[in-house]
Amino acid sequence: MAIRSDTPVLDTLAAMTVDSIEHCGLDERTLILTRLAALAAMDAPAISYLAHVDPAVKADLGAEELQDVLVAIAPVVGTARVMSAATHMTEALGITIALAEAEAEAMAEADARSRKQT
């Protein structure tokens, strides 16, 4: 019997992602670019791109490669989806930056409190 989780949907998505990566023969960069192209084709929301920001950074993908993906798929998926994807990618990146800034701020505050106590 399966163990009950507080986040069954996220757990399932994570497990599917791990299985997909383990069974895929694509290199890391190609895998991320392919997934981003699929998200754009589906008109996925920003939250879907959010899961790919860290892997894209780790794969050393830059803005130019992301733009190239959108250029490559534009004739197939159309202008509206490409513009929507660009917006959602930007939103996901903004969310990631905001989270990193909040984490850095919290760490700085904790460090400052720690210094006051000693």
Side-chain angles (χ1 to χ4, degrees):
M1 184 168 193
I3 298 173
R4 193 79 175 130
S5 168
D6 291 336
T7 57
V9 174
L10 292 176
D11 294 346
T12 300
L13 293 173
M16 288 170 45
T17 299
V18 169
D19 285 346
S20 172
I21 291 169
E22 288 177 354
H23 293 95
C24 182
L26 296 174
D27 64 89
E28 186 177 14
R29 292 172 61 83
T30 305
L31 175 67
I32 297 303
L33 291 172
T34 302
R35 286 179 176 224
L36 293 172
L39 291 173
M42 296 177 56
D43 197 21
I47 193 74
S48 296
Y49 289 92
L50 192 58
H52 295 82
V53 171
D54 188 54
V57 169
K58 287 180 180 173
D60 200 28
L61 293 172
E64 291 171 1
E65 285 102 349
L66 301 179
Q67 289 175 350
D68 286 343
V69 167
L70 296 178
V71 169
I73 66 171
V76 178
V77 302
T79 304
R81 292 232 169 144
V82 167
M83 294 308 295
S84 179
T87 300
H88 293 148
M89 285 180 186
T90 303
E91 288 174 17
L93 185 57
I95 291 167
T96 301
I97 292 169
L99 289 172
E101 288 173 347
E103 183 178 342
E105 186 177 308
M107 290 175 66
E109 289 173 5
D111 187 45
R113 281 192 303 270
S114 171
R115 289 182 184 182
K116 281 185 178 180
Q117 292 176 354
T118 56

